[in-house]
């Protein structure tokens, strides 16, 4: 192996830059050449490549987003586009590719594998819905962003004695909602993994008011429903003054936490090691503090476990 490529794909996540930096610097340390692919699989199809040197990744470890930019590229599903991408990689003399992204990106990497392109995946998504790793890059930063938002909403919620319903991202998973809800002391957390009953949530709100609570915060994972609808229903049922805040893409931006930078640095470097060891079609993850390499097929077979115990704890503590 002489030359490797690196790309970021799907929704950006804070820490992707630290991962790119680790891939580039670890590869150069081992005497490899590195080429960056701009705009993920879309750039692969278009042949949008840039040579990467040590200096190309200087001053990016602390920046959110991705300097390689990213895209969702449904066009990659077409065989013609896949063949074009493979041709472009071969023309560049790229022997292997590190793909930083989520499940969809790994499926793309796996397709490249079927054409004989060696790929390794690095989990980068705020949703934390990738199995075989405790956390994906960006999750910790997103949770901190949401916790910070809850703190701010709490100030105004207390002042006005209101109920706030806050909608957070996560696609079909409730990991962000659970972690931020626990850290932010939310009264109720609605996630797609656990069925909920609006009447129970109302009873909880009413009990809180009787105990002298000045505000309540309900966190709704986008996969569990719409905060606007939940807010409307709670208002109707309890007659309490209710406001809705949808955090949206604010959650995905900003400087990555130290945890995400460390995770990204370790996983980016581990991806290069994995390629150098001649292992392909795999994802590198971190479990209980140790790097773990798992085949894409195994990652696709498993479902990320939802920490039910933490969910129960959050419910007990918000009693
Ligand atoms: O997968 C990351 C994520 O931020 C999800 O939480 C969210 O549902 C989705 O991406 C939003 O996608 P887009 O940025 O394309 O609107």
């Amino acid at each position: 192996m002489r030359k490797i490529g690196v790309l970021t794909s799907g929704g950006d996540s804070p820490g992707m830059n630290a991962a790119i930096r680790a891939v580039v610097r670890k590869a150069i340390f081992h005497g490899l050449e590195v080429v960056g692919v701009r705009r993920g699989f879309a750039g692969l199809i278009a042949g949008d490549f840039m040579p990467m040197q040590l200096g190309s990744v200087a001053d990016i470890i602390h920046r959110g987003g991705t300097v390689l930019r990213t895209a969702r590229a449904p066009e990659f599903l077409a065989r013609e586009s896949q063949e074009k991408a493979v041709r472009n990689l071969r023309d560049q003399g790229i022997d292997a590719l590190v793909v930083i992204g989520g499940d969809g990106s790994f499926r793309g990497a796996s397709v490249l594998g079927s054409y004989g392109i060696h790929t390794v995946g690095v989990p980068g998504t705020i949703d934390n819905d990738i199995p075989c790793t405790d956390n994906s890059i960006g999750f910790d930063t997103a949770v901190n962003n949401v916790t910070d938002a809850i703190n701010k909403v709490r100030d105004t919620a207390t002042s006005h004695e209101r109920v706030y319903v806050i909608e957070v991202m996560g696609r079909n998973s409730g990991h962000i909602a659970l972690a931020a809800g626990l850290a932010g002391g939310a009264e109720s957390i609605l996630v797609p993994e656990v069925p909920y009953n609006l009447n129970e949530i109302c009873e909880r709100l009413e009990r809180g008011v009787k105990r002298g609570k000045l505000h309540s915060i309900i966190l709704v994972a986008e996969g569990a429903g719409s905060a606007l609808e939940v807010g409307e229903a709670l208002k109707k049922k309890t007659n309490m003054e209710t406001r809705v805040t949808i955090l949206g893409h604010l959650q995905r931006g900003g400087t990555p936490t130290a945890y995400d930078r460390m995770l990204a640095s370790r996983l980016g470097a581990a991806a290069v090691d994995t390629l150098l060891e001649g292992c392909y079609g795999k994802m590198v993850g971190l479990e209980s503090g140790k790097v773990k390499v798992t085949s894409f097929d195994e990652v696709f077979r498993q479902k990320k476990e939802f920490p039910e115990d933490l969910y129960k704890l959050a419910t007990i503590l918000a009693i």
Side-chain angles (χ1 to χ4, degrees), residues 11 72 125-127 169-171 222 249 252:
R72 305 198 188 276
T125 165
I126 62 164
D127 301 340
M169 280 184 168
R171 203 178 289 276
E222 62 179 345
H249 290 80
R252 227 162 70 186

Side-chain angles (χ1 to χ4, degrees), residues 42-279:
L44 213 51
I45 300 164
D48 197 352
F49 297 107
M50 60 189 273
M52 307 283 283
Q53 283 93 26
L54 291 175
S56 320
V57 290
D59 205 24
I60 65 168
I61 195 166
H62 61 297
R63 292 203 219 147
T66 158
V67 291
L68 287 177
R69 290 181 263 145
T70 186
R72 305 198 188 276
E75 64 271 31
F76 190 73
L77 291 172
R79 199 165 173 87
E80 210 176 80
S81 305
Q82 297 167 3
E83 286 169 359
K84 195 148 182 259
V86 171
R87 258 197 321 275
N88 287 337
L89 282 166
R90 297 229 161 96
D91 288 350
Q92 286 285 320
I94 295 172
D95 307 309
L97 187 68
V98 176
V99 172
I100 306 167
D103 178 82
S105 311
F106 297 160
R107 288 185 191 272
S110 200
V111 166
L112 288 175
S114 69
Y115 287 91
I117 304 288
H118 299 149
T119 57
V120 166
V122 174
T125 165
I126 62 164
D127 301 340
N128 207 28
D129 56 352
I130 312 281
C132 311
T133 186
D134 291 339
N135 281 350
S136 52
I137 297 164
F139 172 65
D140 186 64
T141 306
V143 169
N144 276 284
N145 285 343
V146 175
T147 306
D148 184 48
I150 294 174
N151 293 341
K152 288 174 175 152
V153 164
R154 193 185 269 277
D155 289 345
T156 177
T158 313
S159 307
H160 284 267
E161 300 178 38
R162 282 175 178 159
V163 173
Y164 268 82
V165 182
I166 304 179
E167 183 176 304
V168 303
M169 280 184 168
R171 203 178 289 276
N172 301 317
S173 81
H175 294 278
I176 297 177
L178 172 56
L182 183 55
E187 271 65 35
S188 295
I189 306 170
L190 278 51
V191 293
E193 293 86 350
V194 183
Y196 58 88
N197 178 326
L198 279 183
N199 289 332
E200 273 171 27
I201 293 168
C202 293
E203 283 162 22
R204 187 182 271 261
L205 286 176
E206 278 154 358
R207 274 204 308 274
V209 171
K210 280 197 193 116
R211 277 200 297 114
K213 266 195 169 185
L214 294 180
H215 70 261
S216 286
I217 297 204
I218 317 285
L219 225 53
V220 181
E222 62 179 345
S226 143
L228 284 167
E229 284 170 21
V230 171
E232 201 49 48
L234 293 180
K235 195 164 151 188
K236 255 202 200 119
K237 283 179 192 283
T238 62
N239 212 19
M240 289 180 190
E241 199 178 0
T242 307
R243 293 287 186 275
V244 173
T245 302
I246 298 173
L247 296 181
H249 290 80
L250 287 175
Q251 295 160 85
R252 227 162 70 186
T255 188
T257 59
Y259 177 89
D260 271 331
R261 297 183 207 187
M262 283 174 57
L263 178 67
S265 301
R266 290 187 73 180
L267 295 185
V272 174
D273 285 337
T274 305
L275 287 174
L276 286 170
E277 282 159 19
C279 290

